[in-house]
Amino acid sequence: IFRMRSDGSRLERYATGFWNPYRTTIDALGRMFMVDNDADARPPCRLNYGVAKADYGNRFKYGRKGLHPYTSWNGENPGMLPMASGVGDGPSGVLAYESTHLPNDYLGGVFVTAAWIHNRLEFHRLIPQGASFRTEMTTVIQGGDAFRPISIATAPDGSLYMTDWV
């Protein structure tokens, strides 16, 4: 993950160690969450709480399977951070929900689209754990093979919009 100032200056690496990172979201408190795909032989896919200067463990130079001892998928190696939660396969959308249009249970949590095998929209309730989070996942919408949610956004009235791959 990289960040820069609004004028394009001061480009810097914010965090590293991801496998096919798809999307980030930043909530009103400035907390970043992002989803990345699983290494070929190392499920699950991940929801990560983004921390500046953090290393989340993936090392592509050690192969695509994600099984090399220098690769860490869930904080197994020293200095590498664990995921907040495993998510469904093919996560490509993540959204910090901060509206009151939906039931209060959703306020302050994170929606994740899982399009590949699981065909669902997930909701992850954030549970503080030390300086990070773990989550409790609920399936909001479960579809069949023709349901492949990809991107998700909040409308001004707090309702949700999703795109669908199929």
Side-chain angles (χ1 to χ4, degrees), residues 83-96:
M83 66 181 98
S85 180
V87 298
D89 207 36
S92 55
V94 60
L95 174 73

Side-chain angles (χ1 to χ4, degrees), residues 10-45:
R10 299 191 61 187
L11 179 67
E12 65 178 327
R13 183 169 61 187
Y14 184 81
T16 191
F18 305 107
W19 179 274
N20 290 341
Y22 287 130
R23 178 78 184 194
T24 60
T25 187
I26 299 174
D27 69 11
L29 299 175
R31 301 178 301 194
M32 177 191 292
F33 298 90
M34 61 83 59
V35 289
D36 67 343
N37 211 353
D38 59 318
D40 290 349
R42 191 98 183 234
C45 298

Side-chain angles (χ1 to χ4, degrees), residues 56-76:
Y56 291 83
N58 182 58
R59 296 291 183 273
F60 187 76
K61 67 182 180 181
Y62 297 127
R64 292 190 53 86
K65 293 190 183 294
L67 299 175
H68 191 280
Y70 293 161
T71 297
S72 175
W73 196 244
N74 194 21
E76 300 90 355

Side-chain angles (χ1 to χ4, degrees), residues 107-127:
L107 184 60
V110 177
F111 285 98
V112 173
T113 59
W116 189 243
I117 294 171
H118 296 98
N119 313 87
R120 67 186 178 212
L121 173 63
E122 302 175 353
F123 177 74
H124 292 261
R125 186 173 61 87
L126 301 176
I127 301 167

